[in-house]
Amino acid sequence: MPNIEIILGDITRQAVDAIVNAANCSLLGGGGVDGAIHRAAGPELLAECRTLHGCETGKAKITKGYRLPAKYVIHTPGPVWHGGGYGEEELLRSCYRSCLELAAENGCETVDFPSISTGVYHFPLEKAAPIAVGTIAAFLREHPEIRRVRMVCFDGRTKAFYDRALEELR
Ligand code: ADP
């Protein structure tokens, strides 16, 4: 089985090869996990992000981690939930896939994700969690060079949805 773990924690504290940032298309910072990552990484992160000229929803861009314990930050703008009829599910799948492609290209063996789009972007957790774990599992089957992927959940309710999705996958 692919090596996927679900943990409760703060993604800014994780000493892994890459953490993922649930960013917005400007890549210039925001609230939630995005703000926390920029605060912890320091102003050099924003300076590098300014050189990237934004990112489309569902795509991803990579930067260094600066003052974070993680080596890289992979920034991906998740879809805003508009009811499900606007390609939101495929865009969320594309976020997870694009991040893992960049991680593999950059030699990352350990990658931590936050729960993309389920905060202020309002993607329903019961739909987001199976999309996340299913997409990660499919990618890891093709890319054994990535040793471990974790979902770092910030609260118990979120973690419960990802635990259940992983159970249903096994
Ligand atoms: P989005 O705009 O993609 O919905 P948010 O940052 O609003 O992004 O929320 C995404 C998830 O990240 C939510 O579950 C939120 O609780 C969580 N989160 C916020 N801060 C952190 C953190 N420091 N570490 C991990 N997850 C976090």
Side-chain angles (χ1 to χ4, degrees):
M1 276 307 286
N3 193 353
I4 304 175
E5 294 173 16
I6 316 294
I7 65 166
L8 197 57
D10 179 343
I11 203 164
T12 67
R13 309 288 289 271
Q14 309 306 320
V16 288
D17 291 327
I19 64 168
V20 170
N21 180 15
N24 58 54
C25 291
S26 78
L27 298 185
L28 299 180
V33 70
D34 194 1
I37 287 172
H38 276 273
R39 276 193 299 279
E44 299 96 333
L45 179 61
L46 182 59
E48 184 174 357
C49 284
R50 285 192 204 286
T51 70
L52 300 177
H53 306 293
C55 185
E56 285 171 48
T57 302
K59 305 268 175 63
K61 292 191 177 178
I62 191 166
T63 64
K64 291 188 278 188
Y66 299 98
R67 299 178 199 175
L68 289 164
K71 186 170 179 204
Y72 295 107
V73 181
I74 299 174
H75 306 262
T76 186
V80 178
W81 182 258
H82 289 296
Y86 296 86
E88 295 96 324
E89 299 194 15
E90 188 45 42
L91 285 167
L92 189 62
R93 246 177 241 113
S94 174
C95 285
Y96 283 94
R97 217 182 292 119
S98 301
C99 288
L100 291 167
E101 280 165 6
L102 267 182
E105 284 167 24
N106 286 276
C108 299
E109 296 186 358
T110 52
V111 182
D112 282 5
F113 282 93
S115 178
I116 298 168
S117 284
T118 69
V120 297
Y121 282 2
H122 289 302
F123 205 113
L125 262 172
E126 66 272 18
K127 292 190 196 301
I131 288 171
V133 280
T135 306
I136 294 166
F139 191 92
L140 292 185
R141 277 194 285 273
E142 306 297 322
H143 293 270
E145 69 273 23
I146 297 187
R147 284 194 295 111
R148 186 194 69 193
V149 174
R150 298 189 300 190
M151 293 299 312
V152 180
C153 302
F154 208 44
D155 60 89
R157 175 173 177 269
T158 299
K159 182 174 183 290
F161 278 96
Y162 286 89
D163 281 335
R164 190 174 321 143
L166 189 58
E167 275 301 308
E168 283 168 6
L169 195 73
R170 295 199 191 278

